[in-house]
Amino acid sequence: MGELENLSRRFGGHVPGLLGARAGYAVLCPLVERPEGLHLLFEVRSRTVSQGGEVCFPGGRMEPGETPQSCALRETEEELAIPREQVQLLGTPDFICNQRGFLLHPVLGLVSPQGLEALHPSPAEVAEVFTVPLSFFRQTPPECYRYNLEPQVPDTFPYEAVGIPRNYPWASGWVEVPVWHYGPHVIWGMTARIVRSLAEV
């Protein structure tokens, strides 16, 4: 098999992703209907898992061949016992590219009343669940904090070989972290960035 055929096989029909991404994750952004309007359903992570105590959406790492939608539904069923057939998928908001080298895919879905009745958090992963009116996020601006991403280039970088000066202006960046306080809960980080994108619609 020639090089051209190898390249054609590799990239023909290829769905582009993030170059160098080590993993993909998906979360369900669960909407529930209340008499006063739409709410978002959140989890608080169990203290026995990574990032314990943080507020998040149900979700996790995508398995090989899995779509963001199927991953989000699977993880929601595992974490909250909400059957996937009780979630009406509404679409896929913009994904987040994390500086640690992974993609986070939000999936928007409406949980049926039957799905809410079936809700039973897995104590191994979820400490509690709560809902917040979507109107709260629309009417309440988050606190916003920013931190810088500064390049740290090793002294051994071959500046001369690549033809650039040692004072080369390496690109830097920044990340904005929105924070909402809702009762005893704090919604922040990537979860809050997703919420902000939904509230801005």
Short mmCIF file of all heavy atoms in Angstrom, two decimals, residues 32-94:
data_model
loop_
_atom_site.label_atom_id
_atom_site.label_comp_id
_atom_site.label_asym_id
_atom_site.label_seq_id
_atom_site.Cartn_x
_atom_site.Cartn_y
_atom_site.Cartn_z
N VAL A 32 -35.44 20.84 32.98
CA VAL A 32 -36.68 20.29 33.53
C VAL A 32 -37.71 21.41 33.53
O VAL A 32 -37.38 22.58 33.74
CB VAL A 32 -36.48 19.70 34.94
CG1 VAL A 32 -35.52 18.53 34.91
CG2 VAL A 32 -35.97 20.75 35.92
N GLU A 33 -38.95 21.04 33.29
CA GLU A 33 -40.03 22.03 33.26
C GLU A 33 -40.67 22.14 34.64
O GLU A 33 -41.07 21.14 35.23
CB GLU A 33 -41.07 21.64 32.21
CG GLU A 33 -40.55 21.79 30.79
CD GLU A 33 -41.61 21.50 29.74
OE1 GLU A 33 -42.10 20.35 29.74
OE2 GLU A 33 -41.93 22.40 28.96
N ARG A 34 -40.73 23.36 35.15
CA ARG A 34 -41.39 23.67 36.40
C ARG A 34 -42.54 24.64 36.10
O ARG A 34 -42.54 25.28 35.04
CB ARG A 34 -40.42 24.31 37.38
CG ARG A 34 -39.21 23.46 37.73
CD ARG A 34 -39.58 22.30 38.61
NE ARG A 34 -38.40 21.70 39.24
CZ ARG A 34 -38.32 20.44 39.62
NH1 ARG A 34 -39.36 19.65 39.41
NH2 ARG A 34 -37.24 19.97 40.18
N PRO A 35 -43.50 24.79 37.02
CA PRO A 35 -44.59 25.74 36.77
C PRO A 35 -44.10 27.14 36.46
O PRO A 35 -44.70 27.86 35.66
CB PRO A 35 -45.40 25.69 38.07
CG PRO A 35 -45.13 24.35 38.64
CD PRO A 35 -43.71 24.02 38.26
N GLU A 36 -42.97 27.55 37.09
CA GLU A 36 -42.47 28.91 36.88
C GLU A 36 -41.53 29.02 35.68
O GLU A 36 -41.02 30.09 35.39
CB GLU A 36 -41.76 29.42 38.14
CG GLU A 36 -40.47 28.71 38.49
CD GLU A 36 -40.66 27.44 39.31
OE1 GLU A 36 -41.78 26.89 39.32
OE2 GLU A 36 -39.68 27.01 39.93
N GLY A 37 -41.27 27.90 34.99
CA GLY A 37 -40.42 27.96 33.80
C GLY A 37 -39.36 26.87 33.81
O GLY A 37 -39.36 25.98 34.66
N LEU A 38 -38.44 26.96 32.86
CA LEU A 38 -37.39 25.95 32.73
C LEU A 38 -36.34 26.08 33.82
O LEU A 38 -35.96 27.19 34.20
CB LEU A 38 -36.71 26.08 31.36
CG LEU A 38 -37.51 25.61 30.14
CD1 LEU A 38 -36.78 25.99 28.86
CD2 LEU A 38 -37.75 24.11 30.20
N HIS A 39 -35.88 24.93 34.31
CA HIS A 39 -34.77 24.87 35.26
C HIS A 39 -33.67 24.02 34.65
O HIS A 39 -33.92 23.14 33.82
CB HIS A 39 -35.20 24.19 36.57
CG HIS A 39 -36.00 25.07 37.48
ND1 HIS A 39 -35.77 25.12 38.83
CD2 HIS A 39 -37.03 25.92 37.23
CE1 HIS A 39 -36.62 25.96 39.39
NE2 HIS A 39 -37.40 26.45 38.44
N LEU A 40 -32.44 24.26 35.10
CA LEU A 40 -31.31 23.38 34.81
C LEU A 40 -31.07 22.49 36.03
O LEU A 40 -31.14 22.95 37.18
CB LEU A 40 -30.05 24.17 34.50
CG LEU A 40 -29.92 24.71 33.08
CD1 LEU A 40 -28.78 25.74 33.00
CD2 LEU A 40 -29.67 23.58 32.09
N LEU A 41 -30.79 21.22 35.76
CA LEU A 41 -30.53 20.24 36.81
C LEU A 41 -29.02 20.07 36.96
O LEU A 41 -28.31 19.84 35.97
CB LEU A 41 -31.18 18.90 36.45
CG LEU A 41 -30.93 17.72 37.39
CD1 LEU A 41 -31.66 17.92 38.70
CD2 LEU A 41 -31.39 16.43 36.73
N PHE A 42 -28.54 20.19 38.19
CA PHE A 42 -27.11 20.06 38.48
C PHE A 42 -26.87 18.93 39.47
O PHE A 42 -27.75 18.56 40.24
CB PHE A 42 -26.56 21.35 39.09
CG PHE A 42 -26.59 22.54 38.17
CD1 PHE A 42 -27.68 23.40 38.18
CD2 PHE A 42 -25.54 22.80 37.31
CE1 PHE A 42 -27.72 24.51 37.34
CE2 PHE A 42 -25.57 23.90 36.47
CZ PHE A 42 -26.67 24.75 36.48
N GLU A 43 -25.64 18.43 39.45
CA GLU A 43 -25.16 17.47 40.44
C GLU A 43 -24.11 18.15 41.33
O GLU A 43 -23.45 19.09 40.90
CB GLU A 43 -24.45 16.29 39.78
CG GLU A 43 -25.24 15.46 38.84
CD GLU A 43 -24.38 14.36 38.23
OE1 GLU A 43 -23.13 14.36 38.41
OE2 GLU A 43 -24.96 13.51 37.54
N VAL A 44 -23.94 17.61 42.52
CA VAL A 44 -22.77 17.89 43.34
C VAL A 44 -21.99 16.59 43.40
O VAL A 44 -22.54 15.55 43.80
CB VAL A 44 -23.14 18.38 44.75
CG1 VAL A 44 -21.89 18.61 45.58
CG2 VAL A 44 -23.97 19.65 44.67
N ARG A 45 -20.73 16.63 43.00
CA ARG A 45 -19.92 15.42 42.97
C ARG A 45 -19.71 14.85 44.37
O ARG A 45 -19.51 15.60 45.34
CB ARG A 45 -18.54 15.70 42.37
CG ARG A 45 -18.53 16.05 40.91
CD ARG A 45 -17.10 16.34 40.48
NE ARG A 45 -17.01 16.85 39.14
CZ ARG A 45 -16.87 16.09 38.05
NH1 ARG A 45 -16.82 14.78 38.18
NH2 ARG A 45 -16.79 16.63 36.85
N SER A 46 -19.72 13.53 44.44
CA SER A 46 -19.40 12.86 45.70
C SER A 46 -17.96 13.16 46.09
O SER A 46 -17.09 13.36 45.24
CB SER A 46 -19.60 11.34 45.53
OG SER A 46 -19.02 10.64 46.59
N ARG A 47 -17.70 13.19 47.38
CA ARG A 47 -16.34 13.47 47.86
C ARG A 47 -15.37 12.35 47.52
O ARG A 47 -14.15 12.52 47.63
CB ARG A 47 -16.36 13.66 49.38
CG ARG A 47 -17.10 14.92 49.83
CD ARG A 47 -16.31 16.17 49.52
NE ARG A 47 -17.02 17.38 49.92
CZ ARG A 47 -16.58 18.61 49.69
NH1 ARG A 47 -15.43 18.79 49.04
NH2 ARG A 47 -17.28 19.66 50.07
N THR A 48 -15.87 11.19 47.09
CA THR A 48 -14.99 10.06 46.80
C THR A 48 -14.48 10.07 45.37
O THR A 48 -13.67 9.22 45.01
CB THR A 48 -15.74 8.74 47.05
OG1 THR A 48 -16.90 8.67 46.19
CG2 THR A 48 -16.19 8.63 48.50
N VAL A 49 -14.93 11.02 44.53
CA VAL A 49 -14.47 11.07 43.13
C VAL A 49 -13.60 12.32 42.94
O VAL A 49 -13.52 13.19 43.81
CB VAL A 49 -15.66 11.09 42.15
CG1 VAL A 49 -16.50 9.84 42.31
CG2 VAL A 49 -16.52 12.35 42.34
N SER A 50 -12.94 12.38 41.78
CA SER A 50 -12.11 13.55 41.50
C SER A 50 -12.98 14.81 41.46
O SER A 50 -14.13 14.77 41.05
CB SER A 50 -11.39 13.37 40.16
OG SER A 50 -12.31 13.31 39.10
N GLN A 51 -12.40 15.90 41.90
CA GLN A 51 -13.10 17.18 42.00
C GLN A 51 -14.36 17.05 42.86
O GLN A 51 -15.41 17.63 42.55
CB GLN A 51 -13.44 17.71 40.61
CG GLN A 51 -12.19 17.97 39.76
CD GLN A 51 -12.50 18.27 38.31
OE1 GLN A 51 -13.34 17.62 37.69
NE2 GLN A 51 -11.81 19.26 37.77
N GLY A 52 -14.24 16.26 43.92
CA GLY A 52 -15.37 16.04 44.82
C GLY A 52 -15.89 17.33 45.42
O GLY A 52 -15.14 18.24 45.74
N GLY A 53 -17.21 17.41 45.55
CA GLY A 53 -17.85 18.58 46.12
C GLY A 53 -18.19 19.66 45.11
O GLY A 53 -18.89 20.62 45.45
N GLU A 54 -17.69 19.54 43.87
CA GLU A 54 -17.96 20.56 42.87
C GLU A 54 -19.31 20.34 42.20
O GLU A 54 -19.79 19.21 42.10
CB GLU A 54 -16.85 20.59 41.81
CG GLU A 54 -15.52 21.09 42.34
CD GLU A 54 -14.51 21.31 41.24
OE1 GLU A 54 -14.88 21.28 40.05
OE2 GLU A 54 -13.32 21.51 41.58
N VAL A 55 -19.89 21.43 41.74
CA VAL A 55 -21.15 21.38 41.00
C VAL A 55 -20.84 21.10 39.53
O VAL A 55 -19.91 21.68 38.96
CB VAL A 55 -21.91 22.71 41.15
CG1 VAL A 55 -23.13 22.75 40.23
CG2 VAL A 55 -22.33 22.93 42.60
N CYS A 56 -21.62 20.22 38.92
CA CYS A 56 -21.37 19.86 37.52
C CYS A 56 -22.67 19.38 36.88
O CYS A 56 -23.70 19.25 37.53
CB CYS A 56 -20.30 18.78 37.43
SG CYS A 56 -20.80 17.21 38.18
N PHE A 57 -22.57 19.09 35.60
CA PHE A 57 -23.62 18.38 34.89
C PHE A 57 -23.26 16.90 34.84
O PHE A 57 -22.09 16.54 34.92
CB PHE A 57 -23.75 18.91 33.45
CG PHE A 57 -24.33 20.29 33.34
CD1 PHE A 57 -23.65 21.29 32.68
CD2 PHE A 57 -25.57 20.59 33.87
CE1 PHE A 57 -24.18 22.57 32.55
CE2 PHE A 57 -26.12 21.86 33.75
CZ PHE A 57 -25.41 22.85 33.08
N PRO A 58 -24.25 16.01 34.66
CA PRO A 58 -23.91 14.59 34.50
C PRO A 58 -23.13 14.38 33.20
O PRO A 58 -23.47 14.96 32.17
CB PRO A 58 -25.27 13.89 34.46
CG PRO A 58 -26.26 14.96 34.09
CD PRO A 58 -25.71 16.24 34.63
N GLY A 59 -22.09 13.58 33.28
CA GLY A 59 -21.30 13.33 32.08
C GLY A 59 -20.01 12.63 32.40
O GLY A 59 -19.73 12.30 33.56
N GLY A 60 -19.20 12.43 31.39
CA GLY A 60 -17.93 11.75 31.59
C GLY A 60 -17.19 11.55 30.28
O GLY A 60 -17.53 12.14 29.25
N ARG A 61 -16.19 10.70 30.33
CA ARG A 61 -15.30 10.47 29.18
C ARG A 61 -16.01 9.66 28.11
O ARG A 61 -16.70 8.68 28.40
CB ARG A 61 -14.04 9.74 29.64
CG ARG A 61 -12.99 9.59 28.55
CD ARG A 61 -11.68 9.12 29.12
NE ARG A 61 -10.66 9.06 28.10
CZ ARG A 61 -9.37 9.22 28.32
NH1 ARG A 61 -8.95 9.45 29.55
NH2 ARG A 61 -8.50 9.15 27.34
N MET A 62 -15.82 10.08 26.87
CA MET A 62 -16.41 9.37 25.74
C MET A 62 -15.63 8.10 25.46
O MET A 62 -14.39 8.10 25.45
CB MET A 62 -16.43 10.28 24.50
CG MET A 62 -17.38 11.46 24.63
SD MET A 62 -17.17 12.69 23.31
CE MET A 62 -17.46 11.68 21.85
N GLU A 63 -16.34 7.01 25.23
CA GLU A 63 -15.71 5.75 24.89
C GLU A 63 -15.46 5.69 23.38
O GLU A 63 -16.09 6.42 22.62
CB GLU A 63 -16.60 4.59 25.34
CG GLU A 63 -16.78 4.55 26.86
CD GLU A 63 -17.72 3.44 27.31
OE1 GLU A 63 -18.37 2.81 26.44
OE2 GLU A 63 -17.81 3.22 28.52
N PRO A 64 -14.53 4.83 22.92
CA PRO A 64 -14.24 4.76 21.48
C PRO A 64 -15.51 4.51 20.66
O PRO A 64 -16.31 3.64 20.99
CB PRO A 64 -13.28 3.57 21.38
CG PRO A 64 -12.61 3.53 22.72
CD PRO A 64 -13.66 3.94 23.71
N GLY A 65 -15.70 5.31 19.62
CA GLY A 65 -16.86 5.17 18.75
C GLY A 65 -18.12 5.80 19.26
O GLY A 65 -19.16 5.76 18.60
N GLU A 66 -18.07 6.40 20.45
CA GLU A 66 -19.26 6.98 21.07
C GLU A 66 -19.43 8.43 20.61
O GLU A 66 -18.46 9.18 20.49
CB GLU A 66 -19.13 6.92 22.59
CG GLU A 66 -20.42 6.96 23.34
CD GLU A 66 -20.24 6.67 24.82
OE1 GLU A 66 -19.19 7.02 25.40
OE2 GLU A 66 -21.16 6.07 25.41
N THR A 67 -20.68 8.83 20.38
CA THR A 67 -20.97 10.22 20.06
C THR A 67 -21.16 11.00 21.36
O THR A 67 -21.43 10.40 22.42
CB THR A 67 -22.25 10.35 19.22
OG1 THR A 67 -23.37 9.92 20.03
CG2 THR A 67 -22.16 9.52 17.95
N PRO A 68 -21.04 12.34 21.31
CA PRO A 68 -21.33 13.11 22.52
C PRO A 68 -22.73 12.84 23.07
O PRO A 68 -22.91 12.74 24.29
CB PRO A 68 -21.18 14.56 22.06
CG PRO A 68 -20.21 14.50 20.93
CD PRO A 68 -20.52 13.21 20.23
N GLN A 69 -23.71 12.68 22.18
CA GLN A 69 -25.08 12.45 22.62
C GLN A 69 -25.21 11.12 23.37
O GLN A 69 -25.80 11.06 24.45
CB GLN A 69 -26.04 12.48 21.43
CG GLN A 69 -26.17 13.83 20.77
CD GLN A 69 -25.14 14.09 19.68
OE1 GLN A 69 -24.08 13.45 19.63
NE2 GLN A 69 -25.45 15.01 18.78
N SER A 70 -24.64 10.06 22.78
CA SER A 70 -24.77 8.75 23.43
C SER A 70 -23.99 8.71 24.74
O SER A 70 -24.42 8.09 25.71
CB SER A 70 -24.33 7.63 22.49
OG SER A 70 -22.99 7.80 22.08
N CYS A 71 -22.84 9.38 24.78
CA CYS A 71 -22.06 9.44 26.02
C CYS A 71 -22.82 10.18 27.11
O CYS A 71 -22.91 9.71 28.25
CB CYS A 71 -20.71 10.11 25.76
SG CYS A 71 -19.73 10.39 27.26
N ALA A 72 -23.38 11.34 26.77
CA ALA A 72 -24.11 12.13 27.76
C ALA A 72 -25.30 11.36 28.32
O ALA A 72 -25.57 11.38 29.53
CB ALA A 72 -24.56 13.45 27.14
N LEU A 73 -26.03 10.67 27.44
CA LEU A 73 -27.18 9.89 27.90
C LEU A 73 -26.75 8.71 28.76
O LEU A 73 -27.38 8.40 29.78
CB LEU A 73 -28.00 9.42 26.70
CG LEU A 73 -28.74 10.51 25.92
CD1 LEU A 73 -29.37 9.91 24.67
CD2 LEU A 73 -29.79 11.19 26.78
N ARG A 74 -25.68 8.02 28.35
CA ARG A 74 -25.18 6.88 29.12
C ARG A 74 -24.75 7.32 30.52
O ARG A 74 -25.10 6.70 31.53
CB ARG A 74 -24.02 6.22 28.38
CG ARG A 74 -23.32 5.12 29.19
CD ARG A 74 -22.16 4.50 28.44
NE ARG A 74 -21.14 5.46 28.04
CZ ARG A 74 -20.23 5.98 28.86
NH1 ARG A 74 -20.23 5.65 30.15
NH2 ARG A 74 -19.32 6.84 28.41
N GLU A 75 -23.96 8.39 30.57
CA GLU A 75 -23.47 8.86 31.86
C GLU A 75 -24.60 9.34 32.77
O GLU A 75 -24.58 9.13 33.98
CB GLU A 75 -22.45 9.99 31.65
CG GLU A 75 -21.13 9.53 31.05
CD GLU A 75 -20.22 8.86 32.06
OE1 GLU A 75 -20.52 8.92 33.27
OE2 GLU A 75 -19.21 8.27 31.64
N THR A 76 -25.60 9.99 32.18
CA THR A 76 -26.76 10.45 32.97
C THR A 76 -27.51 9.27 33.55
O THR A 76 -27.95 9.30 34.72
CB THR A 76 -27.68 11.31 32.09
OG1 THR A 76 -26.95 12.44 31.61
CG2 THR A 76 -28.91 11.78 32.86
N GLU A 77 -27.64 8.22 32.76
CA GLU A 77 -28.32 7.02 33.25
C GLU A 77 -27.51 6.36 34.38
O GLU A 77 -28.07 5.93 35.39
CB GLU A 77 -28.54 6.04 32.10
CG GLU A 77 -29.57 4.98 32.37
CD GLU A 77 -30.09 4.32 31.10
OE1 GLU A 77 -29.45 4.43 30.04
OE2 GLU A 77 -31.15 3.68 31.19
N GLU A 78 -26.18 6.33 34.22
CA GLU A 78 -25.34 5.72 35.24
C GLU A 78 -25.32 6.53 36.54
O GLU A 78 -25.33 5.97 37.63
CB GLU A 78 -23.91 5.56 34.72
CG GLU A 78 -23.77 4.53 33.60
CD GLU A 78 -22.36 4.51 33.00
OE1 GLU A 78 -21.49 5.26 33.49
OE2 GLU A 78 -22.15 3.76 32.03
N GLU A 79 -25.29 7.85 36.41
CA GLU A 79 -25.14 8.70 37.59
C GLU A 79 -26.46 9.03 38.27
O GLU A 79 -26.52 9.15 39.50
CB GLU A 79 -24.44 10.01 37.19
CG GLU A 79 -23.01 9.80 36.73
CD GLU A 79 -22.38 11.07 36.16
OE1 GLU A 79 -22.91 12.17 36.43
OE2 GLU A 79 -21.37 10.95 35.44
N LEU A 80 -27.53 9.18 37.47
CA LEU A 80 -28.81 9.64 38.03
C LEU A 80 -29.96 8.66 37.83
O LEU A 80 -31.07 8.92 38.30
CB LEU A 80 -29.19 10.99 37.43
CG LEU A 80 -28.20 12.14 37.65
CD1 LEU A 80 -28.69 13.40 36.96
CD2 LEU A 80 -27.97 12.38 39.13
N ALA A 81 -29.73 7.57 37.10
CA ALA A 81 -30.76 6.56 36.82
C ALA A 81 -31.91 7.11 35.98
O ALA A 81 -33.00 6.54 35.97
CB ALA A 81 -31.30 5.94 38.12
N ILE A 82 -31.67 8.21 35.27
CA ILE A 82 -32.69 8.73 34.35
C ILE A 82 -32.57 7.96 33.04
O ILE A 82 -31.54 8.02 32.38
CB ILE A 82 -32.49 10.24 34.10
CG1 ILE A 82 -32.69 11.03 35.39
CG2 ILE A 82 -33.45 10.74 33.03
CD1 ILE A 82 -32.39 12.52 35.27
N PRO A 83 -33.61 7.21 32.65
CA PRO A 83 -33.52 6.42 31.41
C PRO A 83 -33.33 7.33 30.20
O PRO A 83 -33.93 8.41 30.11
CB PRO A 83 -34.89 5.71 31.35
CG PRO A 83 -35.42 5.75 32.74
CD PRO A 83 -34.90 7.03 33.33
N ARG A 84 -32.48 6.89 29.29
CA ARG A 84 -32.16 7.74 28.14
C ARG A 84 -33.37 8.05 27.28
O ARG A 84 -33.45 9.11 26.67
CB ARG A 84 -31.04 7.10 27.31
CG ARG A 84 -31.36 5.75 26.71
CD ARG A 84 -30.11 5.11 26.14
NE ARG A 84 -29.18 4.73 27.21
CZ ARG A 84 -27.88 4.53 27.03
NH1 ARG A 84 -27.34 4.69 25.84
NH2 ARG A 84 -27.12 4.18 28.04
N GLU A 85 -34.36 7.15 27.29
CA GLU A 85 -35.56 7.40 26.48
C GLU A 85 -36.45 8.48 27.10
O GLU A 85 -37.41 8.94 26.47
CB GLU A 85 -36.35 6.12 26.26
CG GLU A 85 -36.85 5.43 27.50
CD GLU A 85 -35.87 4.42 28.07
OE1 GLU A 85 -34.67 4.45 27.66
OE2 GLU A 85 -36.30 3.61 28.92
N GLN A 86 -36.12 8.89 28.33
CA GLN A 86 -36.88 9.95 28.99
C GLN A 86 -36.21 11.32 28.86
O GLN A 86 -36.55 12.26 29.55
CB GLN A 86 -37.08 9.61 30.46
CG GLN A 86 -37.89 8.36 30.72
CD GLN A 86 -39.28 8.42 30.12
OE1 GLN A 86 -39.88 9.49 30.00
NE2 GLN A 86 -39.81 7.27 29.73
N VAL A 87 -35.23 11.40 27.95
CA VAL A 87 -34.54 12.66 27.68
C VAL A 87 -34.74 13.01 26.21
O VAL A 87 -34.36 12.23 25.33
CB VAL A 87 -33.04 12.58 28.00
CG1 VAL A 87 -32.36 13.91 27.68
CG2 VAL A 87 -32.81 12.18 29.45
N GLN A 88 -35.35 14.14 25.95
CA GLN A 88 -35.52 14.63 24.58
C GLN A 88 -34.33 15.52 24.24
O GLN A 88 -34.15 16.60 24.82
CB GLN A 88 -36.82 15.44 24.46
CG GLN A 88 -37.03 16.04 23.08
CD GLN A 88 -38.20 17.01 23.04
OE1 GLN A 88 -38.98 17.09 23.99
NE2 GLN A 88 -38.32 17.75 21.96
N LEU A 89 -33.49 15.06 23.30
CA LEU A 89 -32.31 15.83 22.93
C LEU A 89 -32.73 17.04 22.10
O LEU A 89 -33.51 16.92 21.15
CB LEU A 89 -31.33 14.96 22.15
CG LEU A 89 -30.72 13.79 22.94
CD1 LEU A 89 -29.75 13.02 22.07
CD2 LEU A 89 -30.05 14.28 24.21
N LEU A 90 -32.19 18.20 22.47
CA LEU A 90 -32.57 19.46 21.82
C LEU A 90 -31.46 20.02 20.94
O LEU A 90 -31.73 20.89 20.11
CB LEU A 90 -32.95 20.49 22.88
CG LEU A 90 -34.09 20.10 23.82
CD1 LEU A 90 -34.27 21.16 24.89
CD2 LEU A 90 -35.38 19.88 23.05
N GLY A 91 -30.23 19.57 21.13
CA GLY A 91 -29.14 20.09 20.31
C GLY A 91 -27.82 20.04 21.04
O GLY A 91 -27.72 19.56 22.17
N THR A 92 -26.79 20.53 20.35
CA THR A 92 -25.44 20.51 20.91
C THR A 92 -24.86 21.92 20.91
O THR A 92 -24.48 22.44 19.85
CB THR A 92 -24.53 19.57 20.10
OG1 THR A 92 -24.66 19.88 18.70
CG2 THR A 92 -24.91 18.11 20.31
N PRO A 93 -24.79 22.56 22.07
CA PRO A 93 -24.13 23.87 22.16
C PRO A 93 -22.65 23.77 21.81
O PRO A 93 -22.11 22.67 21.62
CB PRO A 93 -24.33 24.26 23.64
CG PRO A 93 -25.48 23.42 24.11
CD PRO A 93 -25.39 22.14 23.34
N ASP A 94 -21.98 24.91 21.74
CA ASP A 94 -20.56 24.93 21.42
C ASP A 94 -19.76 24.13 22.44
O ASP A 94 -20.04 24.17 23.64
CB ASP A 94 -20.03 26.37 21.38
CG ASP A 94 -20.62 27.18 20.23
OD1 ASP A 94 -21.06 26.56 19.24
OD2 ASP A 94 -20.64 28.41 20.33
#
